[in-house]
Amino acid sequence: MQLRNSVLAAMGLAAPLLFGAVDSSLAQDAGTGSDTVEELVVTGVRGEARSATESTVPVDVISAAEFANQGDTDLSNLLRNVVPSYNVNAQPISDAATIVRPANLRGLAPDHTLVLVNGKRRHRAAVIYWIGNGVADGAQGPDISAIPASALKQVEVLRDGASAQYGSDAIAGVMNFILNDANQGANLEARYGGYYAGDGASYAISGNLGLPLTDNGFANFSFEYGESDPTDRSIQRDDAAALIAAGNTAVNNPAQVWGSPELQDDLKTFVNWGVDLTPSLELYGHGNYVSKTAIGGFYFRNPNTRSGVFSADNGESLLIGDLTPGTTPCPTVTITDNVPDPTALAAVNADPNCFSFQEMFPGGFTPSFGGDVTDYAAVAGLRGSVGERIDWDLSAGYGSNRVDFFITNTVNASLGPDTPTTFDPGSYIQEELNVNFDVVYELSETLTFAAGAEYRDETFEIEAGQVESWDFGPLAAQGFSAASNGFPGFSDQIAGSWTRSNHALYGATEWRVTDPWQVDLAVRWEDFEDFGTTTNGKVATNYRFNDAFAIRGSWSTGFRAPTPGQSNASNVTTQFDPAVGELVNQGTIPSTNPVALLRGGEALEPEESQNLSFGAVLELGNFTLTADYYIIEVDDRIAVSQDFELTPEEVAALVASGVTSAANLQTFRFFTNDFDTETKGIDLVATYGASLFGGESSLSLAFNNNQTEVTRFNPDTLNASRIRQLEEGLPETRWSLTGTQSWGPLRLLARVSQYDGWYDNEDGRAYDGGNFIFDAEVAYNVSRGLTFILGAQNLFDEYPDENPGGAAGAGNRYSQYTPFGFNGGFWYGRMTYRFD
């Protein structure tokens, strides 16, 4: 069926894009190194697909080969290496963010970027990023790592505001993952690697199979399965070292592990299919099933000082539970020079009516936290054409993401000796339903109109955990903390399901005013059942002076509605506070909780944004350069507030509202709309390809400078620390230079990257950055189908600056928010085989 490219891949969007492709004109085939023709982009385009340099807004076009030519399998890491303004880091001890890592485009939050698969909205993950170094705190975005690289044909990253085209979330841009649609051939790949330090071994097996679906269609299947061992880049904490020096041989070395989490049974499957029912009618769809288990570390609980478990007075004496109150009181066990009074402690241990958690954990304990992730989605649609000028597309999609949390090697201290040490704290579940109808009318070769309608239904659910994970035990009245220590479970009062629906109408025009001048217009009206209506517009243009030079620019308004999860979820976690040098329990509550209302909380409203960008395109033979300057203003931005200390009255109110662990909270925070930001920056992308050195050569440069400023804030809800996190939590400047060289069956790749400094709120300091990170890979085609690849990421084993307060603090030798990782060099080997 010969439908226009816009219908085949871009229905449901509205309005075009700009240039700026990463190596778009010289994509390399992963197996042969041969050049392919310039890709066309469909993201944001209603009419005919365009080349990246003809688009009215900047788009990075990333071929499947660019992902294949890297040693990683996590799509978030792969994107970081090739998209100039995309950032993601390891998140070793970051609560649920360890399970689904937050990623940032153009310095904004993860949920400011809309993710599409084959042009259809991808559901967001169930995880809310309670800990994300400020920029991502409180965000809820899609899990990009759930998409296997083996399933991709190409990725298009629209780096411009697109709410007028796609609706909520598209403030920073849009990422469109276009699936492989081959109807024949297959490939298999096996990969194994590990870090120079000797840990973090990982393997992955992946494959893709294309089959015909009748004589007029295709079915393309992809899978990936792998596992990764954890890493350890810790330094022994001073308090743990002091315990060992004092004779406590039960303390581990290191007491607390900082490193990448362990991934078990990481399975990713995707299917993409389509069949022509008639010459003008196609049935199509795609779907996925993903599951994995992620296990990360938590903070060390000192056996002498951890409040609510081991101590009630900051380590002057042990917390002793009286199991039979009213009888003979239990002995007092004082602590001197890190040693509990041995005589008194022996008396406690000998008395069945007295209890200390040193009986269970004489060396303290470090919880292990993780989650079982299940993700699945299905999209199906029917699209066709009416005559020569009208294309239409009707589709429906459902997606679900579920995280079942678990925490082990910890206690509900209020239960005393009857406490379990493994807990099921509950689950987060995100479900979304999307229905779209789109129509495109090509009035003439120079003028195209588009219109459409969308219905969305979104549900966020919290399932209660096991009773012991949140309940008060008999020792709560004696100062022992309730709920599973480290990650309290969700009580029946916190559990619930919240749903929101919205519907939208949009229109768009693409007008070729003259041969060199393209103008695109878009408008979208959207009605949310709980927020009312919003209308957003966009105008974008591209003017080509000659074959070598063009300029482009856009202006648009946008919005992002708070998710049902952000409006209703509660959470309690443990963080290290560098200001006091100890662990604190921090709660996040809904902004409409009575306690939040007393501190300035109110019902959340949508964010509103304005995007302005302008740029230029230079094409000289095989050399392409694009430069884009952008300004993004976000008003009433949604994020979590500063931390507030709790009064006894507020503690009682939180307990009554279902936050049963509130009695042990030091601070709380809530979601707020109380600040505005301005983000401005520049993207530079250059590519060059030629026949050099007796073979085929390509070179690409990606550069981004990005600065965010908080322009308005409420000092009652946002303090200087939160502002610094938002403004300095990500590097301002980063760039990468990639070169490839092939001689027949031999292919070489080299990449150098550099990142600016960043601020780490948990360490309480700024890091200079400036490290040069080198990657290298060599591939050899042994035969037509068989290829062997050896490579290294961070070839010269570069590490970030050490944290000078690591030993005195939580034991992290390096900042966990380093933009290029803290594990050092990684080597890998790959073997691929292609079946024709």
Side-chain angles (χ1 to χ4, degrees):
M1 179 181 66
Q2 299 301 315
L3 294 179
R4 278 173 282 281
N5 289 323
S6 61
V7 180
L8 288 173
M11 290 305 268
L13 321 186
L17 324 184
L18 283 176
F19 61 34
V22 173
D23 203 11
S24 66
S25 60
L26 281 170
Q28 294 271 311
D29 183 277
T32 65
S34 62
D35 295 334
T36 61
V37 298
E38 181 179 29
E39 291 103 332
L40 299 179
V41 297
V42 295
T43 309
V45 180
R46 285 295 182 180
E48 292 292 330
R50 306 170 185 164
S51 70
T53 54
E54 291 176 336
S55 294
T56 56
V57 293
V59 183
D60 295 323
V61 182
I62 307 162
S63 68
E66 292 189 71
F67 295 126
N69 296 342
Q70 300 185 52
D72 213 310
T73 58
D74 189 312
L75 193 56
S76 293
N77 293 341
L78 299 176
L79 286 166
R80 178 182 61 191
N81 290 335
V82 294
V83 178
S85 57
Y86 186 85
N87 286 281
V88 67
N89 44 43
Q91 307 286 144
I93 302 181
S94 296
D95 202 80
T98 301
I99 301 168
V100 178
R101 296 183 301 154
N104 312 90
L105 185 67
R106 285 190 162 177
L108 295 177
D111 47 13
H112 285 140
T113 300
L114 178 65
V115 173
L116 309 175
V117 175
N118 280 358
K120 307 300 180 182
R121 180 184 284 262
R122 174 79 176 168
H123 60 279
R124 68 180 89 248
V127 162
I128 298 175
Y129 304 120
W130 302 114
I131 305 175
N133 200 32
V135 177
D137 285 4
Q140 186 185 3
D143 182 7
I144 294 174
S145 68
I147 305 173
S150 60
L152 296 175
K153 181 178 181 180
Q154 69 181 40
V155 179
E156 298 174 4
V157 183
L158 188 165
R159 292 180 276 110
D160 194 56
S163 293
Q165 301 152 268
Y166 302 95
S168 180
D169 304 348
I171 290 177
V174 178
M175 305 181 74
N176 188 9
F177 295 87
I178 299 174
L179 302 176
N180 194 333
D181 57 2
N183 66 355
Q184 62 180 355
N187 66 75
L188 288 173
E189 176 176 299
R191 169 194 170 276
Y192 183 84
Y195 289 96
Y196 294 3
D199 58 5
S202 64
Y203 74 89
I205 301 172
S206 62
N208 177 269
L209 172 65
L211 295 172
L213 186 60
T214 75
D215 294 334
N216 301 304
F218 72 93
N220 192 275
F221 302 89
S222 304
F223 82 94
E224 181 182 299
Y225 180 84
E227 294 185 317
S228 299
D229 291 339
T231 64
D232 181 0
R233 300 295 179 271
S234 311
I235 186 172
Q236 181 65 296
R237 296 166 47 131
D238 285 349
D239 61 340
L243 290 169
I244 295 173
N248 190 332
T249 58
V251 177
N252 290 329
N253 187 6
Q256 179 176 325
V257 173
W258 287 88
S260 296
E262 180 181 3
L263 294 180
Q264 298 177 352
D265 297 324
D266 189 3
L267 173 67
K268 307 170 188 177
T269 62
F270 258 81
V271 60
N272 185 32
W273 59 273
V275 59
D276 292 346
L277 303 179
T278 72
S280 60
L281 188 64
E282 181 191 14
L283 182 66
Y284 68 91
H286 65 266
N288 77 275
Y289 177 83
V290 175
S291 64
K292 69 176 179 180
T293 298
I295 306 171
F298 252 28
Y299 292 95
F300 171 62
R301 272 60 176 169
N302 188 299
N304 292 346
T305 63
R306 180 55 180 158
S307 62
V309 181
F310 294 105
S311 175
D313 50 15
N314 297 318
E316 294 184 10
S317 62
L318 292 182
L319 181 60
I320 306 300
D322 189 342
L323 304 182
T324 55
T327 59
T328 303
C330 294
T332 298
V333 182
T334 58
I335 300 173
T336 303
D337 296 331
N338 285 302
V339 178
D341 183 339
T343 301
L345 184 58
V348 168
N349 293 339
D351 189 339
N353 298 319
C354 301
F355 176 75
S356 164
F357 271 101
Q358 283 215 0
E359 296 179 36
M360 294 179 63
F361 297 100
F365 62 90
T366 302
S368 180
F369 172 78
D372 295 315
V373 180
T374 305
D375 182 287
Y376 54 88
V379 173
L382 196 64
R383 57 191 169 203
S385 61
V386 179
E388 297 296 324
R389 297 185 181 275
I390 298 177
D391 295 330
W392 59 270
D393 186 345
L394 175 65
S395 67
Y398 171 82
S400 173
N401 184 273
R402 178 188 181 104
V403 181
D404 298 313
F405 298 109
F406 57 81
I407 186 167
T408 62
N409 199 45
T410 189
V411 299
N412 179 339
S414 68
L415 297 174
D418 296 326
T419 180
T421 57
T422 297
F423 296 87
D424 171 11
S427 305
Y428 282 166
I429 305 168
Q430 176 76 18
E431 296 179 311
E432 296 181 30
L433 172 68
N434 295 280
V435 180
N436 293 86
F437 178 72
D438 309 280
V439 62
V440 177
Y441 176 58
E442 188 178 286
L443 181 63
S444 67
E445 291 184 357
T446 61
L447 187 61
T448 300
F449 295 102
E454 180 179 55
Y455 172 81
R456 293 181 58 219
D457 188 88
E458 179 177 355
T459 299
F460 179 80
E461 182 179 357
I462 300 177
E463 286 189 351
Q466 70 181 89
V467 173
E468 294 88 347
S469 72
W470 53 265
D471 200 10
F472 286 95
L475 297 185
Q478 300 179 35
F480 286 84
S481 63
S484 46
N485 197 276
F487 191 90
F490 309 128
S491 68
D492 291 337
Q493 289 174 276
I494 289 178
S497 179
W498 301 272
T499 299
R500 181 184 68 209
S501 64
N502 61 283
H503 53 275
L505 299 172
Y506 77 83
T509 300
E510 298 178 5
W511 182 23
R512 177 70 66 177
V513 183
T514 64
D515 186 58
W517 186 17
Q518 174 73 35
V519 175
D520 298 321
L521 303 172
V523 63
R524 185 183 181 99
W525 173 87
E526 199 139 4
D527 184 16
F528 289 81
E529 65 175 347
D530 48 357
F531 299 115
T533 64
T534 178
T535 302
N536 295 276
K538 181 170 184 174
V539 56
T541 187
N542 183 315
Y543 187 85
R544 181 166 289 276
F545 291 90
N546 51 48
D547 290 342
F549 183 70
I551 60 173
R552 63 193 176 194
S554 70
W555 175 85
S556 65
T557 61
F559 75 102
R560 189 187 73 81
T563 70
Q566 290 172 326
S567 297
N568 296 282
S570 299
N571 182 75
V572 176
T573 190
T574 303
Q575 291 197 80
F576 182 79
D577 187 345
V580 297
E582 61 183 38
L583 297 181
V584 296
N585 291 328
Q586 179 192 70
T588 305
I589 59 177
S591 62
T592 53
N593 185 290
V595 174
L597 295 176
L598 293 174
R599 302 300 182 96
E602 56 187 19
L604 295 178
E605 297 291 335
E607 301 173 332
E608 297 181 348
S609 67
Q610 292 191 57
N611 288 59
L612 175 66
S613 71
F614 53 89
V617 182
L618 179 65
E619 294 181 281
L620 298 173
N622 291 332
F623 174 76
T624 300
L625 171 67
T626 66
D628 290 278
Y629 178 79
Y630 57 88
I631 301 175
I632 307 170
E633 295 179 351
V634 185
D635 296 335
D636 300 324
R637 188 163 163 178
I638 300 169
V640 292
S641 69
Q642 68 188 47
D643 294 333
F644 294 95
E645 294 185 0
L646 283 161
T647 66
E649 294 77 16
E650 290 169 336
V651 169
L654 286 176
V655 171
S657 69
V659 187
T660 57
S661 58
N664 311 108
L665 286 180
Q666 281 81 19
T667 63
F668 78 98
R669 58 185 184 169
F670 51 87
F671 285 94
T672 176
N673 283 106
D674 272 356
F675 68 102
D676 304 339
T677 62
E678 180 184 78
T679 299
K680 54 187 177 182
I682 187 170
D683 289 330
L684 297 175
V685 178
T687 65
Y688 176 75
S691 297
L692 298 173
F693 313 114
E696 299 298 322
S697 307
S698 71
L699 198 65
S700 63
L701 170 70
F703 171 92
N704 172 256
N705 178 269
N706 189 89
Q707 301 176 41
T708 294
E709 178 185 1
V710 176
T711 56
R712 180 195 66 85
F713 68 96
N714 180 351
D716 294 331
T717 57
L718 207 70
N719 58 16
S721 176
R722 284 291 291 121
I723 291 174
R724 190 173 186 187
Q725 290 177 9
L726 292 162
E727 294 183 339
E728 302 178 31
L730 296 172
E732 282 190 4
T733 301
R734 58 156 299 188
W735 60 266
S736 66
L737 178 66
T738 304
T740 64
Q741 180 69 39
S742 62
W743 294 280
L746 178 65
R747 176 180 56 80
L748 306 178
L749 178 144
R751 177 184 296 111
V752 58
S753 305
Q754 188 183 45
Y755 301 82
D756 205 355
W758 67 96
Y759 173 68
D760 186 324
N761 182 61
E762 290 213 21
D763 292 350
R765 60 159 294 182
Y767 291 85
D768 293 333
N771 305 70
F772 289 92
I773 307 299
F774 290 86
D775 303 329
E777 182 176 279
V778 55
Y780 188 79
N781 296 337
V782 178
S783 64
R784 179 179 176 84
L786 181 62
T787 303
F788 289 100
I789 304 103
L790 290 176
Q793 298 172 329
N794 192 356
L795 178 65
F796 299 114
D797 202 25
E798 187 76 8
Y799 283 89
D801 292 340
E802 291 198 10
N803 173 19
N812 56 318
R813 185 187 298 270
Y814 308 106
S815 166
Q816 66 168 317
Y817 299 115
T818 167
F820 59 87
F822 52 74
N823 285 313
F826 180 88
W827 64 268
Y828 61 88
R830 296 191 291 130
M831 182 183 70
T832 67
Y833 191 85
R834 297 188 174 215
F835 303 86
D836 293 333

